[in-house]
Amino acid sequence: MASRIGVKVHKAEVTRSISETPPTHYTVTIQLFSLLSKNAEKYESAEFEAGGNKWKLVLHPNGNKNKNVANHISLYLAVADASSLPPDWEVSAVYRLFLLDQNKDNYLVAQEPQGKQRRFHRLKPERGFDRFIPTKVFSDASYGYLVDDTCELGAEVFVSKERSRGKAECLEMIKDPGSFKHVWKIETFSMLASEYYDSKEFTAAGFKWKMQLYPKGRDTGAGCISLYLVLADLTSLTPASKVYVDYTLRIQDQEENRHISFKKNHWFSASSRESGWARFFPLSFFLRPNDWVVNDVCFLEAEVAVQGITRSVSDTQQNHYTVTIQLFSLLSKNAEKYESAEFEAGGYKWKLVLYPNGNKSKNVADYISLYLAIADASLLPPDLQGKQRRFRRLKPEWGFDQFIPIKVFTDDSKGFLVDDTCKVGVQVFVSKESSTGRGECLKMIKDPRSFTYVWKIENFSKLDSEYYDSKEFTVAGFNWKMQLYPNGRDSGTGSHISLYLVLADLTSLTPTSRIYVDYTFRIQDQVRARDLSVKKNHWFSASSRESGSAKFLPLSFFLWPHDWVVKDVCFFEAEVTVRGIASTLQ
């Protein structure tokens, strides 16, 4: 694969792969790329939103000259309008940049080695690849990246609070742009007293323009005249569109044709509608007779050539997983934590973790806590790093200790909890997006009935098998049993009896369904009703069908006569209350 791509990796700055799926967030189609390469040092895409932040793609078609890059195309992801951000602003993200292979209809994808997460902040608003692809490879049509002088680039950005809206744009370069000249005659030049003056509007490539003169200078132009080209009418331009223009501003020599001129190019848009020079020419120049101001008259000239136009073309949205909770108040009352079923995104299995009364292990009060977690972190390699916010074996869970104040959440007028029902959701964006977009519904039971089962065990001192099962009993439509290890199990082996509650029959349970149960184990006092008991709760499922106490009672407890074992007979009791059932929705 690497030999076909023909790309050398420089100092491990980029990892390349092939993807069959298009970029999730943003694409840029460039027609007549050769003209962009010829006429523009840099191209910046329109803004797009990903993860609650605005971004743009930055392309150097001939390599980033500021970094002495040659014979390569440079491509970057940048925070849009970074200069307006607060000094302490930053966001961590994993990103991938795409290039379409039009011959094979797949994408060359470049990303940080091992999908490394990068910090974007005000002092470092741009990340990417100085040597995205060699120019020689890119321009060879047999590779499929540039076909009929057209290419397509793309980006995916993966941050914590993903609110992706997949937009796209098309940059159309103009093959034979016509230049338009407008001459502005200014009389009584020395008498100009206003801050600035506008020329008449003129049209070039369907857009209206004007020149703007500051006779006493503007911004850093004190002691100079300032001269600008301005996009005069925005009605023909959508908010995300841009116009790439080469232009020259001149002051004409009226005697010997020695014009004074300055040339520039600029991407004009609704948010950047002017370009020019604050220090176009010194005012001292006009204090003596010359060929450029004759009889207090001068001629300013603008030569405008529109080289390309960018337009926005699409709008889409994605979601991954939702959890609907009915009768939330009962979940809050009876469960410290709720974990959703597993769902897949980006080739990994995830789950949502909800603390309806706040995460007590982090001393959170008066808030709901909500997290996204790797579903079974114990199975992951020790060096695994997730594709977003560095999920790994030692840090499998990320989220928000103070997701929402409970007072706000339970206020009906806010709309988060209505008829005791709420819905929480998640979007997970990793490099190889493969979300099935499933969901689940947790239904709490309003008036759960408790069922008590008593298990009589005779000849207790003679029990010699590893374990014994009680008869099955039914609670809330599910079959259960108790399981006793007379010589202990796991941490209770040889020192305690171990006692467990087991979901006996899985036929009434789908593979991803779960049952939330409160249960109490007791050994009955047959004389004075001083039962010994242990109370627990557990989410029972096909993969977690038992719960109990490895150290229910010490074996030494049974070495002397007492009221709990009489005539070598004892009674074990299980009181079971099914409080909620979670089922998967397609």
Side-chain angles (χ1 to χ4, degrees), residues 412-548:
D412 288 345
S413 67
K414 304 298 183 183
F416 301 120
L417 186 66
V418 177
D419 294 332
D420 211 11
T421 298
C422 69
K423 181 182 287 188
V424 295
V426 64
Q427 293 175 314
V428 187
F429 296 91
V430 293
S431 294
K432 296 182 179 178
E433 181 60 10
S434 57
S435 168
T436 56
R438 297 183 302 157
E440 70 180 50
C441 179
L442 165 62
K443 185 175 182 179
M444 300 299 290
I445 298 172
K446 190 170 187 177
D447 296 305
R449 294 186 177 182
S450 296
F451 180 89
T452 301
Y453 176 78
V454 178
W455 182 14
K456 179 181 179 181
I457 300 180
E458 298 177 330
N459 302 312
F460 182 81
S461 64
K462 296 182 172 55
L463 300 180
D464 56 4
S465 294
E466 179 186 3
Y467 68 90
Y468 294 85
D469 288 337
S470 74
K471 291 182 179 180
E472 294 184 8
F473 54 95
T474 302
V475 183
F478 299 96
N479 289 341
W480 309 86
K481 63 182 178 182
M482 283 190 281
Q483 195 167 76
L484 174 71
Y485 290 75
N487 290 299
R489 168 184 149 181
D490 299 334
S491 62
T493 301
S495 61
H496 291 74
I497 64 167
S498 303
L499 189 61
Y500 295 87
L501 179 65
V502 180
L503 182 58
D505 181 13
L506 298 179
T507 58
S508 57
L509 197 66
T510 63
T512 56
S513 295
R514 279 154 305 115
I515 309 166
Y516 180 58
V517 175
D518 277 344
Y519 68 93
T520 301
F521 283 149
R522 300 184 184 92
I523 181 170
Q524 292 183 356
D525 185 324
Q526 301 176 46
V527 178
R528 303 182 190 181
R530 296 174 302 164
D531 301 339
L532 300 176
S533 63
V534 174
K535 186 174 182 178
K536 283 193 172 186
N537 52 55
H538 185 69
W539 286 98
F540 288 86
S541 66
S543 60
S544 184
R545 57 186 299 188
E546 67 177 25
S547 175

Side-chain angles (χ1 to χ4, degrees), residues 320-321 339-353 371-376 380 384-392 395-398 426-435 438 440:
H320 290 141
Y321 200 77
E339 296 184 359
S340 78
E342 297 177 5
F343 62 96
E344 186 170 319
Y348 295 94
K349 291 185 177 180
W350 309 85
K351 60 185 177 182
L352 278 172
V353 181
Y371 305 90
L372 173 70
I374 294 283
D376 192 349
L380 298 177
L384 175 75
Q385 291 188 0
K387 302 300 180 182
Q388 176 177 305
R389 195 55 177 161
R390 293 190 69 223
F391 288 82
R392 60 195 189 278
K395 184 64 176 177
E397 183 179 282
W398 286 95
V426 64
Q427 293 175 314
V428 187
F429 296 91
V430 293
S431 294
K432 296 182 179 178
E433 181 60 10
S434 57
S435 168
R438 297 183 302 157
E440 70 180 50

Side-chain angles (χ1 to χ4, degrees), residues 220-461:
T220 60
C224 296
I225 66 168
S226 303
L227 189 60
Y228 297 88
L229 177 67
V230 180
L231 182 58
D233 181 13
L234 298 180
T235 58
S236 58
L237 199 65
T238 62
S241 296
K242 293 181 295 176
V243 185
Y244 180 59
V245 176
D246 277 343
Y247 70 93
T248 301
L249 299 183
R250 299 184 182 95
I251 181 169
Q252 293 183 353
D253 184 325
Q254 300 176 46
E255 299 291 339
E256 300 184 20
N257 202 32
R258 296 174 301 163
H259 306 320
I260 298 171
S261 62
F262 296 91
K263 186 174 182 179
K264 265 190 178 183
N265 52 56
H266 184 69
W267 287 100
F268 287 87
S269 66
S271 60
S272 183
R273 56 186 299 188
E274 68 176 24
S275 177
W277 289 268
R279 304 175 66 85
F280 184 74
F281 220 75
L283 285 172
S284 59
F285 175 82
F286 301 99
L287 298 179
R288 61 183 182 272
N290 56 59
D291 296 340
W292 292 272
V293 181
V294 178
N295 296 325
D296 212 20
V297 175
C298 70
F299 294 86
L300 300 178
E301 181 181 299
E303 182 178 351
V304 178
V306 175
Q307 302 283 352
I309 303 171
T310 297
R311 293 184 176 91
S312 179
V313 296
S314 70
D315 187 14
T316 59
Q317 191 169 0
Q318 300 184 26
N319 292 295
H320 290 141
Y321 200 77
T322 58
V323 179
T324 301
I325 301 176
Q326 300 175 357
L327 298 177
F328 181 90
S329 61
L330 296 184
L331 174 69
S332 176
K333 179 180 178 181
N334 293 290
E336 180 181 342
K337 178 173 71 170
Y338 173 68
E339 296 184 359
S340 78
E342 297 177 5
F343 62 96
E344 186 170 319
Y348 295 94
K349 291 185 177 180
W350 309 85
K351 60 185 177 182
L352 278 172
V353 181
L354 172 72
Y355 293 80
N357 298 298
N359 190 343
K360 305 306 180 187
S361 65
K362 295 188 176 183
N363 299 316
V364 177
D366 302 322
Y367 280 82
I368 289 171
S369 301
L370 185 62
Y371 305 90
L372 173 70
I374 294 283
D376 192 349
S378 64
L379 300 179
L380 298 177
D383 60 346
L384 175 75
Q385 291 188 0
K387 302 300 180 182
Q388 176 177 305
R389 195 55 177 161
R390 293 190 69 223
F391 288 82
R392 60 195 189 278
R393 189 170 181 176
L394 296 178
K395 184 64 176 177
E397 183 179 282
W398 286 95
F400 311 100
D401 299 332
Q402 298 179 338
F403 178 67
I404 187 172
I406 293 174
K407 185 176 180 180
V408 173
F409 176 78
T410 55
D411 184 344
D412 288 345
S413 67
K414 304 298 183 183
F416 301 120
L417 186 66
V418 177
D419 294 332
D420 211 11
T421 298
C422 69
K423 181 182 287 188
V424 295
V426 64
Q427 293 175 314
V428 187
F429 296 91
V430 293
S431 294
K432 296 182 179 178
E433 181 60 10
S434 57
S435 168
T436 56
R438 297 183 302 157
E440 70 180 50
C441 179
L442 165 62
K443 185 175 182 179
M444 300 299 290
I445 298 172
K446 190 170 187 177
D447 296 305
R449 294 186 177 182
S450 296
F451 180 89
T452 301
Y453 176 78
V454 178
W455 182 14
K456 179 181 179 181
I457 300 180
E458 298 177 330
N459 302 312
F460 182 81
S461 64

Side-chain angles (χ1 to χ4, degrees), residues 29 207 243 380 583:
T29 302
F207 299 94
V243 185
L380 298 177
S583 56

Side-chain angles (χ1 to χ4, degrees), residues 157-168:
V157 190
F158 313 115
V159 293
S160 295
K161 295 182 179 179
E162 182 61 47
R163 296 291 182 272
S164 165
R165 287 192 176 273
K167 295 181 179 178

